[in-house]
Amino acid sequence: YEIIPDEAKNQFHYDLGKALLSACEGRDVGDTILVIASQINHGKESIQKNDELCISMAELNMAAGKRAIESCRHKTAYSYLDNALSLLPDDHWNSNYDLSLRVSFMMASAANSSS
């Protein structure tokens, strides 16, 4: 890891997360979803130009947030859910209403439980 140039580390994390996601696709991965989302989130700037990919990664972060809530890790859940919202387009309440509502509801639940 030390031999990777600093400017390439975020891309390395993103690529690692995508490889893990591909390897686990279609399976219940339990807490591994947290590791996958975390790795991809390090390289978030790599996907912010692609709206469709942003929606997929927002859904991944929502799944990680849900898993964290189920494990009573509410601050961790809030962080993943906040990432999910940040990946949605500016007009997400119009273009992705259901996803926006689910993420916002889960964020409120995580915030309420962590205080």
Side-chain angles (χ1 to χ4, degrees):
Y1 186 76
E2 292 299 318
I3 63 172
I4 300 171
D6 287 341
E7 62 274 2
K9 286 184 179 177
N10 286 343
Q11 185 65 44
F12 172 80
H13 286 288
Y14 175 77
D15 292 342
L16 177 60
K18 290 294 286 181
L20 289 169
L21 183 61
S22 292
C24 297
E25 197 166 351
R27 291 188 259 162
D28 179 16
V29 294
D31 284 351
T32 305
I33 192 81
L34 304 174
V35 174
I36 294 169
S38 177
Q39 291 299 313
I40 291 174
N41 287 341
H42 279 292
K44 191 164 62 170
E45 63 275 350
S46 298
I47 63 170
Q48 290 186 320
K49 298 171 193 99
N50 182 329
D51 286 345
E52 191 174 308
L53 192 52
C54 282
I55 300 300
S56 296
M57 293 304 103
E59 290 171 341
L60 175 70
N61 274 278
M62 184 182 70
K66 181 179 180 197
R67 181 64 185 182
I69 287 172
E70 291 168 352
S71 302
C72 297
R73 293 180 268 184
H74 301 288
K75 288 182 181 180
T76 300
Y78 189 89
S79 177
Y80 285 113
L81 296 166
D82 189 43
N83 268 318
L85 272 185
S86 75
L87 288 164
L88 294 176
D90 291 338
D91 71 336
H92 63 92
W93 283 108
N94 291 321
S95 61
N96 299 93
Y97 180 79
D98 289 339
L99 181 58
S100 299
L101 185 62
R102 285 182 287 152
V103 170
S104 295
F105 179 77
M106 290 169 59
M107 277 184 82
S109 176
N112 183 54
S113 298
S114 67
S115 52

